[in-house]
Amino acid sequence: QVQLVESGGRLVQAGGSLRLSCAASGRTFSSYAMAWFRQAPGKEREFVAAMRWSDSSTYYANSVKGRFTISRDNAKNTVYLQMNSLTPEDTAVYYCAARRGSLYYTANEYNYWGQGTQVTVSS
C-alpha cells in the first residue's frame, strides 16, 4: 500500500521560502509520477509541479514556474517542493500525489494522496 506523508507547511511572510517534503513508502517508485497539488479555500485543487521518478524530468504550473522546484532524494524515498518568493496567493493546503505510469496534470489521474500540509503566506 502506497503511503505519502507531507510535512513542512507553516506560516511564512510574503517573499519568504519553504521546503515541503513528501515521504513515500510501500512501493518502488521508479515507475511512478509524483506531483504536488494545492487547494485554497473555496477553490478547486490545482496542479503545482510534477516529476517522473525515473528520469527526474519536471513540469510546473505557470503560476509557480521560476519560483518553485520539485526534486527527489532516492535514498530517502522523498519528494521535495522548494518554494521561493512566496506570495499570499500561494496560501493553500499542499498535497503530494502519486500514480504509476505517465505523468498528468489533473488531480483525478492520481491514485495516491497524502493528507496535506497547510501553507499560509502573510502579507
Side-chain angles (χ1 to χ4, degrees), residues 31-59:
S31 61
Y32 276 66
M34 307 295 294
W36 288 95
F37 288 80
R38 66 186 181 186
Q39 189 165 19
K43 295 189 177 181
E44 292 188 355
R45 194 167 296 190
E46 67 171 354
F47 171 77
V48 175
M51 70 183 301
R52 292 191 186 92
W53 199 287
S54 58
D55 62 5
S56 295
S57 54
T58 58
Y59 304 85

Side-chain angles (χ1 to χ4, degrees), residues 13-98:
Q13 288 190 333
S17 298
L18 277 180
R19 189 178 78 161
L20 305 183
S21 300
C22 172
S25 62
R27 289 285 191 278
T28 300
F29 289 93
S30 57
S31 61
Y32 276 66
M34 307 295 294
W36 288 95
F37 288 80
R38 66 186 181 186
Q39 189 165 19
K43 295 189 177 181
E44 292 188 355
R45 194 167 296 190
E46 67 171 354
F47 171 77
V48 175
M51 70 183 301
R52 292 191 186 92
W53 199 287
S54 58
D55 62 5
S56 295
S57 54
T58 58
Y59 304 85
Y60 298 94
N62 287 335
S63 59
V64 307
K65 202 172 292 184
R67 299 188 299 123
F68 291 11
T69 303
I70 187 171
S71 63
R72 62 170 168 77
D73 183 327
N74 280 342
K76 296 182 178 180
N77 244 21
T78 298
V79 176
Y80 301 101
L81 185 69
Q82 177 67 42
M83 306 187 295
N84 299 328
S85 302
L86 287 162
T87 73
E89 289 67 38
D90 296 314
T91 295
V93 178
Y94 283 71
Y95 296 91
C96 178

